Amino acid sequence: MRPAKANRHGFRRCRLLPALAVGLLLSATPRLLSHDPAASLLTLDASIKERPADPELYFKRGHVLLGMQAPTRALADFERAASLRADYPHVDLARGRALRALGRHDEATVAAARQLARDPSGGAAAVLHARSVAALGRHEAALQLWDVALSLVAPRQPEFYLERADAAVAARAQIEAIAGLDRAMRDLGPLITLQERAVALCEHNGRYAEAVQRLDRLLRQVARPESWLAWKARLLDRAGLPASAVAVRQSALLAIAALPDARRQAPATRTLAAGLERAVRHAPLVPPAVFVARAPVPATAESIAAQSLSTESLSTIAASPPAVGTVFVPRGAWWRYFDFAMDLGTAWQAPTYDDLSWPIGLAQLGFGDGDENSVVNGGPVGQRTPTIYFRRAFDVLDPTPFTRAHLELLCDDGAVVYLNGIEIARSNMPGGAITFATLASQELTGAAERAYVPITFPPSLLVAGTNVVAVEIHQASATSDDLSFDLEVVATPRLSVSRGPYLQTATPTSAIVRWRTDAPTGTGLWRGASPGTLAPVTSIAQPRTEHEVTMTGLTPSTRYYYAIGDATQVLVGGTAEYYFETSPPAGAITPARIWVLGDSGTADANARAVRDAYLTFAGTRRADVMLMLGDNAYYYGTDEEYQRAVFDTYPSILRNTFLWPTLGNHDAVYARSSLATGPYYDIFNLPTQGQAGGLLSGTEAYYSFDYGH
């Protein structure tokens, strides 16, 4: 056993060989003959043949087998030891661990209680008792048993407090869950894993202001604050402080801008920056002095926040849209890892594998690059350990709504990923069977070793309850000088169109169709002379949430039917109400109906009454032109207000009528006409080059267009 030492996060690291019956049982386990479990097993087999009535030998062999993930055989040896000597020390504790490994939690509970009856001060038995009762779904009882266990066990581990918090949440004692984590931080120090869980629980319970305060304390401990700042901004939004959220998002963007080029251009960072930039664009425009007064920048980002921030600098950071869905395992999460040069076979991949003895570290995990949050042991220089193992459990309440799931995998050099014991991904690894000695296909260098690789997997592999993702990272050679690992797991519910479709910038020969989806996806549009004759017009694979298709070469005064979707399938349209009509040729004498709305953005019963009265009057004769004269969305012209006042109020009209808006004072609160930025300009496509007729303006802030004569 290597000496314990404190890592950078304050964990006391104590690595125990599996053959030592890992965890709190170590003090109760006789010394083994060898650090090699297979050799120990052979030695014990020979000894048992010589002394078949010695309970100590069976007890020792049971622990070796338990460490080798053979709980059935281990249980048989523990039972044999008990039959030879009923009062053999700690035998009930050993039996309980084997029973728990077999999923026989009710029997494990009995064994733990029997051990506690013999030794009421036994911390290991108290922990086993609490875990077994929790596994039976008796969460209130488990919560009480965890309190007993924590009063007895030494040393106390972070996972004990996290498991107690799980029991409290399951027992609907949310406040007690947070209080327990606070006690843990008093006992163990402000570990990031404990603080992160406390912030998440505060958020879940609507205690947003408290969550922000806790997150501020956590920010002082992290070297790269950008993702934590993004979380803080979300909390501020939920607390009803949008201006403060803007300030924090700007600080996050500045933190990203200060990163080295390679890190700033990493897909994960670019995705984060794109989401932050979009939120800043659509958020209230508040003077910087108000930002500072309402949301002090965390100490870790003070020097960065002092820099100037321009619209141009933000746009250079953005790339692809953020993932929308449920993040079950975030980047930078804690993982259990096993970095001994030992082949664990395949048993470690199973969800039931007992990994509680493995050390815990925050990703990125690895060595050699200097950017790790947790350093693992890669073996001596020139004789690197070929494979290092990682595991993490996460809970899924109900997997049925999810239709897509993906990983974002950072690995150097190669990786194999298992979900609930099933292989779901390989990266930079050969085909065929993978063993402990298998080397990665090639050595990764430069940007390749810092890139997050997106990998999809069937969401049907997720199960209700606890899921376990297990990853083995392989070196490309024994002389490798570094290793890196991080992983994100995201699942997305069924894709839907959350805005539109709506029609923009009509001309005699062109039209624009726009819509928004609730998750990034490809863009597809189909068009035809009738709903039954639609043909694909465009298919764009690059995922996005804001979709925009410009169609040219159309015939004037012609009706076209359409449907929209992702790059492969129709989501909305293809029926008689999804159509548009191109404008007549400029100057053509033709009847025109123009529906003019002014000060319509209240999104209330009055606005709906005006809409319904117009539809009753119009009947089947649609408007050729729809004008909004300003104050289209009260009170500030935010994206959310436009959703309610325009897109949720007129959905059936906007899908077949071209809308031409005008900026009012309410729309201008969060719009900059000098730069043509803000929600109003993001939502609408307005002619700047006279492409719809009339005069060239050079800006969307004012424009002209022709319709017929």
Side-chain angles (χ1 to χ4, degrees):
M1 183 175 69
R2 283 180 261 177
K5 62 180 180 179
N7 69 11
R8 62 188 296 180
H9 302 291
F11 290 116
R12 298 295 296 177
R13 299 179 59 200
C14 185
R15 312 174 186 205
L16 308 178
L17 291 172
L20 292 177
V22 293
L24 296 171
L25 279 176
L26 179 63
S27 61
T29 306
R31 180 183 297 272
L32 294 178
L33 302 176
S34 169
H35 283 182
D36 182 349
S40 296
L41 193 61
L42 291 174
T43 300
L44 289 167
D45 287 343
S47 298
I48 288 173
K49 287 182 179 179
E50 295 176 2
R51 302 195 307 275
D54 188 345
E56 182 180 5
L57 295 175
Y58 291 96
F59 191 71
K60 285 183 176 181
R61 190 173 70 176
H63 280 297
V64 174
L65 291 167
L66 193 59
M68 296 175 68
Q69 303 303 309
T72 301
R73 294 174 61 193
L75 180 61
D77 272 355
F78 295 141
E79 299 282 12
R80 177 62 174 159
S83 68
L84 292 171
R85 180 181 167 186
D87 63 342
Y88 193 89
H90 306 292
V91 71
D92 284 314
L93 178 57
R95 289 181 61 256
R97 285 177 56 82
L99 289 165
R100 182 170 178 268
L102 291 168
R104 294 159 62 178
H105 301 295
D106 51 346
E107 295 175 72
T109 300
V110 173
R114 186 179 299 152
Q115 181 65 44
L116 284 168
R118 291 182 175 181
D119 179 13
S121 63
V127 169
L128 175 64
H129 199 194
R131 285 174 169 162
S132 301
V133 170
L136 292 172
R138 295 161 50 194
H139 303 297
E140 293 182 1
L143 180 58
Q144 296 177 356
L145 290 173
W146 269 117
D147 288 336
V148 173
L150 289 169
S151 70
L152 298 175
V153 69
R156 298 173 183 174
Q157 300 295 330
E159 60 264 31
F160 298 162
Y161 291 93
L162 292 170
E163 290 183 57
R164 181 193 182 278
D166 290 340
V169 170
R172 300 185 178 181
Q174 307 276 354
I175 305 304
E176 179 53 33
I178 297 172
L181 292 171
D182 286 336
R183 290 194 294 272
M185 285 182 271
R186 288 194 294 270
D187 290 344
L188 304 179
L191 302 181
I192 290 178
T193 51
L194 300 175
Q195 293 187 75
E196 178 186 11
R197 185 63 186 279
V199 173
L201 285 172
C202 287
E203 180 183 17
H204 180 72
N205 286 280
R207 297 162 60 173
Y208 303 123
E210 180 182 346
V212 169
Q213 293 175 348
R214 290 175 177 273
L215 196 50
D216 278 341
R217 291 195 292 269
L218 190 154
L219 276 162
R220 301 188 188 105
Q221 297 178 242
V222 298
R224 292 185 56 183
E226 55 270 15
S227 61
W228 301 98
L229 289 170
W231 189 7
K232 180 180 176 181
R234 186 180 73 194
L235 293 169
L236 289 167
D237 275 333
R238 294 184 174 182
L241 297 171
S244 299
V246 170
V248 174
R249 287 189 175 100
Q250 288 182 324
S251 295
L253 284 165
L254 287 167
I256 292 172
L259 293 173
D261 287 344
R263 292 185 182 178
R264 189 172 67 248
Q265 296 302 324
T269 306
R270 289 161 65 90
T271 295
L272 176 63
L276 290 166
E277 184 189 10
R278 184 181 298 105
V280 168
R281 280 203 315 267
H282 293 169
L285 300 177
V286 180
V290 177
F291 292 150
V292 176
R294 297 183 64 181
V297 178
T300 53
E302 283 178 352
S303 59
I304 298 172
Q307 305 174 33
S308 62
L309 181 67
S310 66
T311 303
E312 290 75 19
S313 69
L314 291 182
S315 63
T316 60
I317 300 172
S320 56
V324 177
T326 300
V327 179
F328 288 113
V329 179
R331 294 182 182 89
W334 62 266
W335 290 79
R336 294 187 181 276
Y337 61 93
F338 187 87
D339 56 357
F340 279 93
M342 182 179 294
D343 187 351
L344 297 185
T346 60
W348 72 279
Q349 304 163 11
T352 56
Y353 182 85
D354 188 351
D355 58 12
L356 292 177
S357 66
W358 291 16
I360 297 175
L362 285 172
Q364 184 183 145
L365 299 109
F367 68 88
D369 290 328
D371 58 353
E372 302 87 5
N373 279 324
S374 302
V375 176
V376 302
N377 178 24
V381 176
Q383 298 179 356
R384 296 300 191 192
T385 302
T387 301
I388 294 180
Y389 305 96
F390 302 86
R391 284 171 55 93
R392 180 181 168 96
F394 61 92
D395 292 328
V396 178
L397 183 62
D398 179 10
T400 55
F402 299 108
T403 59
R404 293 177 297 160
H406 78 277
L407 312 170
E408 294 283 341
L409 172 65
L410 172 69
C411 66
D412 179 15
D413 294 298
V416 184
V417 184
Y418 306 88
L419 177 62
N420 298 325
I422 300 172
E423 181 181 331
I424 61 172
R426 291 189 187 190
S427 178
N428 192 29
M429 292 295 293
I434 301 295
T435 68
F436 175 75
T438 303
L439 297 177
S441 299
Q442 60 181 334
E443 184 174 355
L444 299 184
T445 59
E449 64 181 340
R450 296 184 294 271
Y452 282 80
V453 180
I455 301 171
T456 60
F457 67 91
S460 58
L461 296 179
L462 296 170
V463 300
T466 300
N467 295 253
V468 175
V469 59
V471 185
E472 52 187 281
I473 300 295
H474 292 255
Q475 297 280 24
S477 70
T479 59
S480 176
D481 59 0
D482 59 1
L483 178 143
S484 300
F485 168 67
D486 195 3
L487 181 71
E488 181 179 64
V489 180
V490 181
T492 306
R494 186 172 303 279
L495 183 68
S496 65
V497 176
S498 57
R499 172 175 294 179
Y502 60 105
L503 306 173
Q504 295 284 280
T505 312
T507 79
T509 60
S510 67
I512 296 175
V513 180
R514 289 193 58 172
W515 68 96
R516 174 183 290 178
T517 51
D518 58 3
T521 184
T523 301
L525 187 138
W526 293 259
R527 186 186 73 223
S530 67
T533 60
L534 303 185
V537 173
T538 187
S539 177
I540 303 172
Q542 182 180 4
R544 63 197 69 190
T545 55
E546 298 292 337
H547 304 266
E548 176 183 322
V549 177
T550 301
M551 293 171 285
T552 59
L554 305 177
T555 303
S557 301
T558 301
R559 176 174 291 195
Y560 295 91
Y561 294 87
Y562 70 95
I564 60 171
D566 60 21
T568 60
Q569 63 179 337
V570 171
L571 297 174
V572 169
T575 61
E577 59 183 320
Y578 290 88
Y579 66 88
F580 62 88
E581 290 185 4
T582 52
S583 303
I589 304 299
T590 180
R593 171 171 287 177
I594 302 174
W595 183 29
V596 184
L597 289 165
D599 206 27
S600 60
T602 54
D604 58 10
N606 291 329
R608 293 188 291 273
V610 171
R611 174 201 64 194
D612 295 343
Y614 165 72
L615 291 174
T616 300
F617 160 79
T620 59
R621 173 63 168 95
R622 56 175 285 279
D624 300 294
V625 176
M626 180 180 179
L627 297 179
M628 283 188 167
L629 301 186
D631 292 351
N632 313 312
Y634 272 78
Y635 287 90
Y636 307 111
T638 65
D639 183 84
E640 184 178 0
E641 289 171 341
Y642 262 101
Q643 183 67 37
R644 293 195 303 267
V646 177
F647 299 104
D648 293 344
T649 303
Y650 309 105
S652 64
I653 299 170
L654 295 174
R655 65 183 58 138
N656 52 45
T657 305
F658 287 92
L659 170 61
W660 300 90
T662 304
L663 191 73
N665 65 301
H666 285 278
D667 309 290
V669 173
Y670 295 141
R672 289 176 177 170
S673 291
S674 60
L675 298 174
T677 60
Y680 172 85
Y681 294 102
D682 293 336
I683 291 168
F684 300 115
N685 295 73
L686 307 173
T688 62
Q689 304 299 313
Q691 63 265 42
L695 298 177
L696 180 151
S697 67
T699 175
E700 288 185 305
Y702 55 94
Y703 64 96
S704 62
F705 70 97
D706 291 339
Y707 186 86
H709 66 293

